[in-house]
Amino acid sequence: MFASIAAALMLQVTGPASPAPEPPRPISASKIILVGDSTTAVIGGWGPSFCSDHVTSFVACVNLARGGRSSGSYFVEGSWDLALAEMSTPGFVATYVLIQFGHNDQPGKPGRSTDLATEFPANLRRYVAETRARGAIPVLVTPLTRRQFVDGRLQNDLEPWAEAARAVAAETNTPLVDLNASSVAAVQAMGPTLAARFAQVAPSPEVSAAMLTGTTIASTPPAPAPVATAPATAPSTAQNNAAVEPLGQARTAFDYTHLGRAGADFFAALVTRDLMIAVPALRRGLVP
């Protein structure tokens, strides 16, 4: 009797026993890795807007694109090794690797150009195979169009490289974001004057006047800043050139290839739209 009274008094003081806390539930997070050249990279490309505005908090977005790189030089210099290391990070339910090359694979790029018929597709196949070997999911992206016109018609000089990427995607059963096709359609519909707003800075009056005729002209790049040198030793011409504009250096100028904020925002939205179609499993992690 006394024991039951004591138990009742104790219950009044302490209250009913609390249930055991549930163990924390693991989240389901994915990762997207961007691999490519300056048209994807942090300055001059669509990648920054994609990572900042088009993925949810359950998707980590890592931009490893680098200016001036081709499908060959990106591998040779070791940038691809960094991408492979990112693919091996544990904890993600899925890792997707978006791969876009072509601009610097074209002829006339010393140390970077690749053969369109052999090297370029072989490089893309290697990226696809090694991505899958790491347990990640490759997605090929055709190269963003340039914005040069002749008589009102967009000059899509990257179409052969886009077609090669399409062929590799079909051959390897790899998801494809056909950015070349979607960007060509959008830029052609705008025309040269409206498309000029996608550049990093406004065109010169001379360039703007030419656009009104429907034919773009070469833009004049700004003069390079003088290179500081130590008074004791005068650097060679090659050293000066490297200091002024090393491969892939971030710079801001008007041209028909690189993107300012408006261009990055516009084409990141196109990539997101097409990625949601190409990879349905990513839809919940993307923001249109």
Side-chain angles (χ1 to χ4, degrees):
M1 177 176 177
F2 290 108
S4 60
I5 294 175
L9 291 174
M10 182 63 69
L11 183 62
Q12 291 178 4
V13 173
T14 62
S18 301
E22 294 184 3
R25 298 177 181 178
I27 64 168
S28 296
S30 300
K31 178 190 280 190
I32 296 176
I33 302 170
L34 305 184
V35 167
D37 54 38
S38 58
T39 59
T40 304
V42 170
I43 296 179
W46 53 264
S49 291
F50 176 81
C51 287
S52 65
D53 298 333
H54 293 283
V55 299
T56 70
S57 59
F58 286 89
V59 177
C61 191
V62 181
N63 192 345
L64 295 182
R66 303 187 192 283
R69 273 58 178 182
S70 69
S71 66
S73 65
Y74 190 90
F75 175 83
V76 170
E77 73 181 9
S79 287
W80 180 243
D81 291 333
L82 298 179
L84 290 173
E86 281 290 341
M87 296 177 213
S88 301
T89 305
F92 295 97
V93 296
T95 296
Y96 301 86
V97 186
L98 274 59
I99 305 163
Q100 181 203 290
F101 287 106
H103 286 79
N104 298 301
D105 288 88
Q106 292 183 305
K109 306 291 181 71
R112 295 175 284 170
S113 299
T114 62
D115 183 79
L116 176 60
T118 58
E119 292 177 294
F120 181 65
N123 290 339
L124 295 186
R125 291 188 198 101
R126 179 173 192 165
Y127 289 143
V128 166
E130 294 189 1
T131 297
R132 287 176 172 155
R134 290 296 175 105
I137 302 166
V139 180
L140 290 178
V141 183
T142 57
L144 175 72
T145 186
R146 294 188 174 94
R147 302 179 297 279
Q148 294 166 303
F149 286 77
V150 174
D151 295 330
R153 296 298 304 173
L154 180 65
Q155 305 301 292
N156 183 18
D157 63 342
L158 286 155
E159 169 58 27
W161 285 264
E163 184 55 36
R166 295 181 194 115
V168 172
E171 170 194 334
T172 59
N173 195 28
T174 300
L176 177 76
V177 171
D178 200 345
L179 178 58
N180 186 263
S182 58
S183 61
V184 163
V187 173
Q188 178 63 66
M190 293 176 192
T193 300
L194 286 178
R197 66 190 174 93
F198 292 153
Q200 293 176 309
V201 300
S204 68
E206 180 185 14
V207 170
S208 295
M211 290 177 182
L212 294 175
T213 71
T215 298
T216 54
I217 62 174
S219 58
T220 303
V227 180
T229 60
T233 306
S236 66
T237 301
Q239 288 173 323
N240 268 329
N241 289 340
V244 171
E245 188 180 321
L247 182 64
Q249 177 183 4
R251 56 179 179 172
T252 301
F254 176 84
D255 62 29
Y256 301 104
T257 300
H258 299 99
L259 305 174
R261 181 57 187 266
D265 289 348
F266 183 87
F267 292 114
L270 287 187
V271 170
T272 304
R273 180 199 68 186
D274 294 347
L275 184 58
M276 294 176 79
I277 297 171
V279 187
L282 259 177
R283 288 177 184 172
R284 293 184 63 182
L286 298 176
V287 181

